[in-house]
């Protein structure tokens, strides 16, 4: 008799985006002439930049000729891309990452979800709240999160990020084995300072904690003082795995490419605490067994991001989205709303007026302005009383949405 993995039965159904779609469809059915604009979308909208498209065309041509055809590539990724990453994403910041510490993947979601396989199922975990749901759900699947109890998992330490702590999570007062951090943050759009990040690295060094650092939005950082990588902090190579993605950096959500850094110094203990094992070797072993590499075409596309043209073109698209974010933040603030984020991230975290709950505000704005947002409570209990807006839309759609919100709120 085949038995299922009963931990899957504990997963709460992810109703968030399905519920949003249902409510939007209900509105459209009763208001057939309304033109609904979405600021809730978590996907990019602008096309790939020309340097990337050219590289992909060339890679397809390579695949069409016997002499330049590529079959299976190295599981860890092609050296041309791993070298470009080390030389462009890390060296200019004074960080020395060897290509053997870089693992090319098909996007950050897979690796943030899979990395937990190389550590014991009964390690404790800590997450910021609100949070990208993958960090918790992937731990539920192997039983590590424990049991759900009043909306919280029994083996998870929640670190609230709220207005009253300026969205800076408090370091736990007890030992946690694994901690997930995401900066710039999805969904709050807030960042972490070098000083705060140093506290986390020191906590991890002291408590023998692994930090899983999701840097998917680092390319959106505008302020030169904000760290782009946890390895900018001394000692981080001993305690942190870092995830990068080209999805938000260069519009690769449909191309699929990213990478994970597992430094050679990062180790975890054996059960009796007597031995230390390097996670780099374990992750390589895991990937070689379960992953056969990202496509050659996607890796050539990613390489093109590091050419002078690619860098300029990618920056132009990010500037476009951040221009949206600026306009949104200015307009909403001048309407009297309290808006966080949006300065170093494509997300705005908007406090609902008069203590209205997230879902009520979502409906009010849908019916009042025909604009869709994402209810903050969908990202965790501390998201209640907020909604998330994204700046990934077209400039004209953003302007139209702001115009309508302004008319609606001034009624
Ligand atoms: C979008 C996103 C990613 C990237 O996912 P991909 O699988 O690379 O497309 C990773 N982490 C967070 C927090 C995200 O929002």
């Amino acid at each position: 008799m085949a038995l299922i993995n009963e931990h899957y039965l504990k997963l709460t159904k992810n109703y968030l985006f399905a519920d949003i779609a249902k409510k939007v469809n209900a509105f459209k059915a009763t208001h057939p002439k309304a033109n609904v604009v979405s600021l809730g979308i978590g996907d990019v909208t602008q096309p790939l930049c020309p340097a990337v498209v050219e590289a992909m065309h060339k890679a397809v041509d390579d695949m069409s000729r016997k002499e330049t055809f590529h079959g299976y590539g190295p599981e860890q990724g092609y050296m041309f891309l791993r070298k470009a990453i080390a030389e462009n994403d890390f060296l200019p910041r004074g960080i020395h990452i060897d290509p053997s510490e870089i693992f090319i993947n098909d996007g950050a979601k897979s690796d943030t979800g899979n990395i937990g396989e190389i550590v014991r199922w009964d390690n404790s975990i800590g997450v910021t709240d609100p949070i990208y749901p993958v960090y918790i759900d992937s731990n539920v699947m192997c039983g590590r999160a424990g049991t759900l109890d009043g909306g919280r998992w029994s083996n998870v330490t929640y670190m609230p990020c709220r207005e009253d702590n300026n969205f800076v999570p408090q370091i736990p007062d007890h030992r946690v084995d694994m901690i997930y951090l995401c900066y710039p943050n999805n969904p709050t759009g807030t960042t972490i300072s070098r000083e705060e990040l140093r506290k986390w690295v020191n906590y991890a060094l002291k408590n023998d904690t692994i930090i899983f650092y999701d840097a998917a939005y680092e390319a959106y950082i505008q302020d030169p003082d904000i760290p782009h990588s946890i390895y900018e902090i001394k000692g981080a190579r001993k305690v942190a795995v870092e995830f990068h993605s080209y999805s938000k950096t260069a519009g690769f959500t449909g191309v699929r490419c990213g990478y994970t850094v597992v430094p050679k110094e990062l180790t975890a203990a054996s059960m009796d605490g007597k031995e230390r094992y390097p996670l780099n070797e374990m992750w390589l072993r895991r990937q070689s067994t379960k992953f056969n590499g990202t496509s050659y075409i996607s890796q050539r596309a990613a390489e093109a991001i590091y050419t002078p043209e690619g860098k300029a073109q990618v920056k132009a698209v990010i500037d476009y989205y951040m221009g949206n974010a600026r306009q949104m933040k200015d307009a909403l603030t001048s309407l009297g709303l309290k808006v966080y984020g949006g300065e170093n991230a494509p997300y705005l975290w908007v406090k609902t007026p008069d203590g209205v709950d997230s879902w009520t505000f979502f409906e009010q704005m849908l019916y009042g302005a025909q604009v869709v947002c994402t209810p903050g409570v969908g990202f965790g209990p501390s998201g209640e009383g907020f909604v998330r807006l994204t700046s990934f839309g077209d400039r004209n759609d953003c302007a139209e949405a702001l115009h309508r919100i302004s008319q609606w709120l001034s009624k």
Side-chain angles (χ1 to χ4, degrees), residues 243-265:
F243 306 95
H244 287 248
S245 167
Y246 299 109
S247 285
K248 318 302 166 25
T249 305
F252 272 42
T253 51
V255 176
R256 311 307 306 146
C257 193
Y259 64 90
T260 296
V261 180
V262 189
K264 293 278 170 67
E265 289 96 313

Side-chain angles (χ1 to χ4, degrees), residues 18 24 39 44 48 68 79 130 139 168 180 250 259 274 295 329 336 367 373 395 411:
V24 171
L39 296 181
V44 295
L48 295 172
T68 49
M79 190 51 93
N139 282 295
V168 178
Y180 291 83
Y259 64 90
K274 287 190 182 140
S295 85
K329 185 157 188 165
Y367 282 76
C373 60
R395 181 67 50 88
K411 261 189 199 146

Side-chain angles (χ1 to χ4, degrees), residues 39-298:
L39 296 181
I41 184 171
D43 198 354
V44 295
T45 56
Q46 303 305 300
L48 295 172
C49 69
V52 166
V53 174
E54 200 179 309
M56 291 182 86
H57 280 156
K58 189 171 168 298
V60 171
D61 288 341
D62 286 349
M63 298 299 268
S64 73
R65 287 188 305 269
K66 197 172 177 184
E67 304 75 47
T68 49
F69 169 76
H70 285 72
Y72 288 125
E75 291 96 347
Q76 203 173 343
Y78 285 104
M79 190 51 93
F80 63 76
L81 180 55
R82 288 190 281 142
K83 269 178 91 165
I85 289 166
E87 284 164 14
N88 290 280
D89 283 348
F90 295 104
L91 254 193
R93 302 187 199 290
I95 304 166
H96 293 267
I97 297 289
D98 190 80
S100 63
E101 298 172 312
I102 297 169
F103 297 80
I104 308 300
N105 59 32
D106 60 356
K109 191 189 234 183
S110 319
D111 282 9
T112 50
N114 291 330
I115 194 81
E117 277 186 31
I118 60 171
V119 283
R120 266 183 69 98
W121 71 272
D122 51 357
N123 283 310
S124 57
I125 70 166
V127 295
T128 58
D129 168 34
I131 190 201
Y132 181 56
V134 176
Y135 312 148
I136 290 188
D137 287 358
S138 58
N139 282 295
V140 173
M141 289 173 174
C142 66
R144 196 182 283 125
T147 51
L148 192 59
D149 208 348
R152 284 157 196 268
W153 295 92
S154 57
N155 199 26
V156 176
T157 297
Y158 291 81
M159 303 172 289
C161 296
R162 291 188 299 238
E163 209 178 13
D164 59 18
N165 62 7
N166 211 14
F167 302 96
V168 178
Q170 201 182 346
I171 306 247
D173 56 7
H174 56 282
R175 182 191 297 260
V176 176
D177 301 317
M178 296 153 49
I179 284 179
Y180 291 83
L181 295 176
C182 173
Y183 288 103
N185 189 256
N186 176 12
T188 65
T190 57
T191 55
I192 193 164
S193 69
R194 212 172 292 274
E195 292 65 42
E196 282 300 322
L197 192 52
R198 189 169 294 124
K199 289 184 198 167
W200 283 105
V201 171
N202 289 340
Y203 168 88
L205 286 165
K206 193 165 144 233
N207 291 284
D208 201 354
T209 300
I210 302 174
I211 297 175
F212 295 126
Y213 195 77
D214 188 343
Y217 295 96
E218 63 81 21
Y220 286 81
I221 294 172
Q222 310 287 311
D223 180 340
D225 291 334
I226 293 170
H228 286 248
S229 163
I230 195 168
Y231 305 119
E232 291 179 42
I233 310 297
K234 198 163 164 262
R237 287 179 54 91
K238 279 199 174 133
V239 294
V241 172
E242 185 166 281
F243 306 95
H244 287 248
S245 167
Y246 299 109
S247 285
K248 318 302 166 25
T249 305
F252 272 42
T253 51
V255 176
R256 311 307 306 146
C257 193
Y259 64 90
T260 296
V261 180
V262 189
K264 293 278 170 67
E265 289 96 313
L266 177 61
T267 60
S270 59
M271 188 64 179
D272 59 8
K274 287 190 182 140
E275 313 280 341
R276 306 284 311 185
Y277 293 94
L279 295 191
N280 179 286
E281 280 175 26
M282 295 188 72
W283 186 242
L284 178 60
R285 190 68 182 78
R286 189 269 174 205
Q287 289 296 79
S288 310
T289 299
K290 294 198 178 182
F291 185 60
N292 246 340
T294 306
S295 85
Y296 172 71
I297 298 165
S298 295

